[in-house]
C-alpha cells in the first residue's frame, strides 16, 4: 500500500526538523501542511519537498528560519519594504533645528527616551524563537572585558558599565 501523507511526527523523523520546528515553519508561513478532518497536520510529497529545499537554502546561504520568514514578510508588506528602502538610502544628518555641536547630545537624549519606553527585562533578552516578529531582538553584547559599553556624553568617552575603559584589563593574561 502506498503512503499518501505523513503525520507531524513522521514528517519530523523523515526531515530532521522537530515537530515544534515544523509548527514554527507553518506559523511563519513558509510551509503549510493541510489538515485532516480531525485537525492533524498531514505532510505529503509537496510539503516534504518544500522542507527539504528550505533546509538546502538555509545551508547554502548560511541563514536561519527567521531570515527567510522576514524575507517573506518583506515580500508581502509593501509599507515595511518602503520604510526599509528609505532607511537604507537615508544619510545621517542632524535635524534642521539641531546645531551640529549638539547633535550627539540630541541623539543620546532621543535614545534615552526610546529606551524608557521599553521594559528593562526586554532590553537585554532575545525574543522567543517561536514568536517571530520579523525583526531582530535588542541584545546587549558585552565587549572584551565582559561588560556592556555605554557612551559617557560628559567625557565624550566610551566607558563600560564597570567604569573601566573597554580593553583596560586588570589581568591581560586571563583574557587570552
Amino acid at each position: 500500500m502506498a503512503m499518501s501523507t505523513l503525520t507531524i511526527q513522521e514528517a519530523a523523523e523523515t526531515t530532521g526538523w522537530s515537530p515544534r520546528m515544523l509548527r514554527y515553519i507553518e506559523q511563519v508561513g513558509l510551509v503549510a501542511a493541510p489538515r485532516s478532518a480531525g485537525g492533524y497536520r498531514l505532510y505529503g510529497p509537496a510539503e516534504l519537498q518544500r522542507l527539504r529545499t528550505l533546509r538546502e537554502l538555509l545551508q547554502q546561504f548560511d541563514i536561519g528560519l527567521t531570515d527567510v520568514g522576514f524575507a517573506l514578510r518583506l515580500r508581502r508588506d509593501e509599507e515595511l519594504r518602503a520604510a526599509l528602502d528609505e532607511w537604507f538610502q537615508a544619510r545621517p544628518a542632524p535635524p534642521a533645528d539641531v546645531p551640529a555641536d549638539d547633535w550627539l547630545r540630541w541623539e543620546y537624549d532621543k535614545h534615552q527616551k526610546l529606551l524608557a519606553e521599553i521594559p528593562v527585562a526586554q532590553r537585554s533578552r532575545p525574543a522567543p524563537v517561536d514568536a517571530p516578529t520579523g525583526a531582530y531582538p535588542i541584545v546587549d553584547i558585552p565587549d572584551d572585558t565582559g561588560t556592556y559599553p555605554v557612551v559617557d556624553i560628559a567625557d565624550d568617552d566610551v566607558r563600560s558599565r564597570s567604569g573601566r575603559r573597554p580593553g583596560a584589563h586588570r589581568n591581560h593574561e586571563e583574557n587570552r
Side-chain angles (χ1 to χ4, degrees), residues 78-97:
E78 291 188 29
E79 185 178 348
L80 173 61
R81 185 175 45 243
L84 284 172
D85 285 345
E86 182 180 327
W87 184 84
F88 282 122
Q89 293 173 13
R91 297 289 172 238
D97 60 338

Side-chain angles (χ1 to χ4, degrees), residues 56-76:
E56 291 169 350
L57 180 71
L58 299 179
Q59 290 172 344
Q60 179 182 355
F61 291 99
D62 192 27
I63 57 176
L65 285 172
T66 53
D67 297 319
V68 180
F70 184 72
L72 178 61
R73 181 176 173 203
L74 200 54
R75 293 179 83 181
R76 292 178 175 171

Side-chain angles (χ1 to χ4, degrees), residues 16-162:
W17 298 102
S18 69
R20 181 177 179 184
M21 288 306 294
L22 291 175
R23 288 184 200 96
Y24 173 75
I25 290 167
E26 183 175 350
Q27 179 185 2
V28 175
L30 300 177
V31 177
R35 304 292 179 120
S36 70
Y40 293 98
R41 291 171 178 85
L42 300 174
Y43 292 83
E47 290 77 31
L48 293 180
Q49 181 185 51
R50 294 293 287 168
L51 290 168
R52 178 182 48 78
T53 57
L54 176 60
R55 184 178 298 280
E56 291 169 350
L57 180 71
L58 299 179
Q59 290 172 344
Q60 179 182 355
F61 291 99
D62 192 27
I63 57 176
L65 285 172
T66 53
D67 297 319
V68 180
F70 184 72
L72 178 61
R73 181 176 173 203
L74 200 54
R75 293 179 83 181
R76 292 178 175 171
D77 187 337
E78 291 188 29
E79 185 178 348
L80 173 61
R81 185 175 45 243
L84 284 172
D85 285 345
E86 182 180 327
W87 184 84
F88 282 122
Q89 293 173 13
R91 297 289 172 238
D97 60 338
V98 176
D101 291 349
D102 293 335
W103 188 18
L104 180 58
R105 170 59 70 184
W106 188 89
E107 288 294 344
Y108 176 85
D109 291 343
K110 193 79 164 174
H111 278 274
Q112 293 305 304
K113 289 175 187 171
L114 288 171
L115 288 174
E117 296 173 8
I118 301 171
V120 174
Q122 289 181 355
R123 286 188 220 161
S124 60
R125 74 182 152 101
V129 172
D130 59 350
T133 61
Y136 292 100
I138 298 170
V139 180
D140 283 335
I141 301 173
D143 63 15
D144 60 350
T145 65
T147 59
Y148 303 90
V150 293
V151 175
D152 183 350
I153 298 298
D155 290 345
D156 289 328
D157 195 7
V158 176
R159 295 188 181 272
S160 67
R161 289 187 183 154
S162 68

